[in-house]
Amino acid sequence: MLSTQEAQEGEKLVLALNNLTGRTMVLNRPKALNSLTLPMVQTIKRYLEDWEKSDLCDVVMLRSNSRKAFCAGGDVVQVSRDWRDGNKAQAMEFFRTEYKVNHHIATYKKPIVAMLDGFTMGGGVGLSVHAPFRVASENAVFAMPETKIGFFPDVGATFFLPRLDGELGVYLGLTGQKLKGRDLLYAGIATHYVPSERHALLEQRLQGLGTSDYTAINLAIEEFVAQPENSQSEDFVGVVNDVPIDFSLASVRDVIDICFKFNTIEAIMQALTEVANQPGPASEWAQKTYDQMNQMSPSSLKLTLEQLRRGAQLDIQKAFELELVLAERRLESHDMHEGIDALLVRKTNDAAWDPENINAVDIRELYSQYFEGEHETTPLYLGSTPFTEYPHKFGLPTEQEILDVVSGESPQAGGFGMTYELVMEFFMREYESKMGVEQKVNWVLSRRTELGDAGGTLRVIKS
């Protein structure tokens, strides 16, 4: 229950705008890049609950009052301070309430549209990535940098990162790598790309739409999307560098799968070393990635890898319940507080990790501490049906969905023997010529398929 002071603070930092049948939450803590406090997440929780029950609300929107940041994360400095000052219940209440909000967004009974303009990291990802509509601008910067502060990717990352293409989610979760602008669309984090200057008009359009119909809302957003900067090449060439796509990871996408497919950090680091020592365009990326991971908390790296491997098999509810257990165990660790101090308080980026390297982290001890045994948890999410895949799909097709059409494993597409033209025609029809579909399908086909034996049909290249 919020105190009067907390409620007043929360309402100053999270504004509520009512216009026709649209409701908008505006994050209003710009000096702190809208980093979330406990009163803020409590206020967001209350707004979501009230608007879900209101017959006057058709659609909920989330945005920031600043183009610099949608939300740069949770106020973990305060959480760490509370824990070390002995106010452990207060520290855990932040995570418990934050995860309830994230879960509620994932299972909300009305459409939610998140406007990603500026930094969208950590807690900001949790407020947006579970929504059915995630609209990124050219200013959007995504990252899950928790391993650098001795924590782990939370706010539902256990669920959403393993469901990105291939090993992309594991790569992003371990390294904290930033993605920008259109990257978010092609990575599957955003569903639409709309320039920042159009966001206000989009909000007005949705406020006056007068419906909760998801298809209608999707079509309304599509009215504002920007054309891809690169158009499709005229011919299917089968070489990724010749296929224009505005995705910063395009040239190393397959190498990411090669290096991050392993189930131990040691094996991943070894794979990066091998790529770094080979001539080729991926060498520099591999060395940079190796160096990035060496800066992270070794125990966080091993914890995160195990978390994400398990998350691939968990439903949305179990994923958040696991994260709550991991958050409490991590607050008991040395590395979380040391990482927060080094990066966010002292700002020296010189954390003294314990253990100091990955070889010193006993994996059996880590499993025992974080994943085994009985943990006292209370039910967090009542009244919703758990799911293992997001119920709404308004983004681009995944790589696997594209390859399933080629291999004949997609029941919607028919059988085997599809040519490049037929595959492209299928996706443009299914996605109603959605912006970005042509570019992504063309890119995936160029990397992952080759011409078969007859009639120009395609077959999947075995990885």
Side-chain angles (χ1 to χ4, degrees):
M1 187 73 180
L2 280 75
S3 67
T4 301
Q5 181 178 355
E6 288 174 329
Q8 290 175 344
E9 179 185 346
E11 289 171 3
K12 288 179 182 178
L13 300 179
V14 184
L15 308 179
L17 305 181
N18 299 342
N19 191 347
L20 301 176
T21 63
R23 300 293 181 267
T24 304
M25 271 185 268
V26 183
L27 302 180
N28 187 39
R29 198 185 178 206
K31 291 183 179 179
L33 301 179
N34 291 325
S35 61
L36 298 171
T37 64
L38 179 57
M40 289 175 72
V41 294
Q42 289 172 325
T43 300
I44 294 170
K45 179 175 180 289
R46 177 164 55 87
Y47 288 155
L48 287 173
E49 291 169 348
D50 291 347
W51 292 343
E52 189 173 39
K53 292 181 289 188
S54 172
D55 293 334
L56 301 177
C57 171
D58 285 328
V59 59
V60 173
M61 287 159 278
L62 286 166
R63 66 171 172 88
S64 164
N65 64 351
S66 166
R67 289 185 178 181
K68 189 173 183 180
F70 171 71
C71 172
D75 191 349
V76 291
V77 173
Q78 184 60 52
V79 171
S80 175
R81 186 178 296 127
D82 285 341
W83 184 271
R84 288 186 288 185
D85 287 347
N87 197 353
K88 297 184 178 182
Q90 179 87 350
M92 282 304 300
E93 184 60 25
F94 172 81
F95 288 119
R96 184 175 289 105
T97 307
E98 183 182 33
Y99 298 170
K100 282 183 178 180
V101 165
N102 302 150
H103 181 269
H104 196 181
I105 290 171
T107 58
Y108 210 61
K109 294 180 175 61
K110 294 179 179 180
I112 295 180
V113 182
M115 309 278 203
L116 310 183
D117 203 17
F119 290 112
T120 305
M121 302 180 178
V125 175
L127 290 180
S128 56
V129 77
H130 306 294
F133 303 102
R134 291 98 58 194
V135 181
S137 78
E138 71 279 9
N139 303 318
V141 180
F142 164 95
M144 294 297 291
E146 287 78 10
T147 56
K148 198 168 186 178
I149 59 167
F151 198 47
F152 64 94
D154 64 333
V155 296
T158 302
F159 188 84
F160 77 79
L161 283 180
R163 287 163 177 79
L164 297 181
D165 287 334
E167 300 297 332
L168 184 59
V170 175
Y171 164 67
L172 295 173
L174 291 175
T175 65
Q177 177 66 30
K178 294 177 182 176
L179 297 179
K180 300 178 182 179
R182 293 179 194 268
D183 284 346
L184 278 68
L185 178 66
Y186 292 116
I189 294 158
T191 58
H192 300 78
Y193 177 83
V194 175
S196 181
E197 63 183 11
R198 302 180 191 176
H199 279 203
L201 291 174
L202 172 58
E203 184 178 347
Q204 292 175 21
R205 177 80 169 92
L206 295 175
Q207 288 169 338
L209 202 58
T211 180
S212 289
D213 182 76
Y214 286 83
T215 300
I217 289 169
N218 180 56
L219 291 174
I221 298 172
E222 289 288 345
E223 295 171 10
F224 294 83
V225 300
Q227 292 274 356
E229 293 182 3
N230 296 314
S231 61
Q232 178 194 341
S233 58
E234 292 183 2
D235 299 310
F236 173 57
V237 293
V239 180
V240 64
N241 292 335
D242 289 343
V243 177
I245 184 169
D246 191 13
F247 184 28
S248 65
L249 297 177
S251 64
V252 295
R253 175 64 195 84
D254 293 328
V255 185
I256 288 173
D257 283 359
I258 290 170
C259 292
F260 285 84
K261 66 183 178 182
F262 301 101
N263 291 326
T264 69
I265 296 298
E266 290 88 346
I268 290 172
M269 299 292 272
Q270 178 60 34
L272 288 169
T273 299
E274 291 173 2
V275 174
N277 291 332
Q278 296 173 0
S283 176
E284 183 179 349
W285 168 85
Q287 186 60 57
K288 177 186 173 184
T289 303
Y290 182 94
D291 293 341
Q292 276 180 295
M293 291 180 64
N294 264 335
Q295 296 176 15
M296 310 306 185
S297 159
S299 58
S300 284
L301 290 175
K302 290 198 172 184
L303 170 61
T304 296
L305 183 58
E306 181 63 20
Q307 164 210 354
L308 298 182
R309 292 296 185 228
R310 293 184 182 224
Q313 308 301 322
L314 297 178
D315 64 43
I316 188 76
Q317 182 168 315
K318 294 296 183 184
F320 278 111
E321 290 175 354
L322 172 62
E323 288 185 1
L324 193 64
V325 171
L326 299 184
E328 184 170 17
R329 297 295 180 265
R330 207 60 190 155
L331 279 166
E332 295 170 347
S333 73
H334 160 274
D335 275 11
M336 181 174 176
H337 304 290
E338 171 63 15
I340 290 170
D341 280 350
L343 190 66
L344 303 176
V345 180
R346 303 195 305 266
K347 299 184 178 179
T348 53
N349 200 21
D350 61 349
W353 304 122
D354 183 21
E356 63 181 358
N357 59 64
I358 59 171
N359 293 326
V361 179
D362 187 326
I363 193 66
R364 287 170 294 185
E365 183 179 328
L366 183 140
Y367 287 171
S368 176
Q369 182 178 0
Y370 290 95
F371 297 103
E372 296 174 359
E374 295 294 326
H375 301 288
E376 292 186 14
T377 59
T378 56
L380 295 177
Y381 319 107
L382 302 175
S384 63
T385 303
F387 52 76
T388 56
E389 296 292 339
Y390 287 110
H392 303 291
K393 294 182 180 294
F394 294 102
L396 302 182
T398 66
E399 292 185 10
Q400 191 58 54
E401 287 170 342
I402 296 167
L403 297 178
D404 283 348
V405 167
V406 175
S407 65
E409 296 179 35
S410 172
Q412 290 82 14
F416 294 93
M418 294 189 76
T419 64
Y420 166 79
E421 290 78 14
L422 286 175
V423 173
M424 190 64 71
E425 181 183 317
F426 169 80
F427 280 102
M428 295 303 288
R429 182 179 64 251
E430 288 292 306
Y431 284 79
E432 299 181 332
S433 299
K434 177 182 174 67
M435 293 298 179
V437 169
E438 186 177 26
Q439 286 68 31
K440 182 167 183 181
V441 174
N442 192 42
W443 173 59
V444 173
L445 294 181
S446 74
R447 293 167 36 228
R448 299 294 310 278
T449 68
E450 61 187 3
L451 291 176
D453 297 328
T457 59
L458 299 178
R459 62 187 177 201
V460 176
I461 299 171
K462 293 182 179 180
S463 56

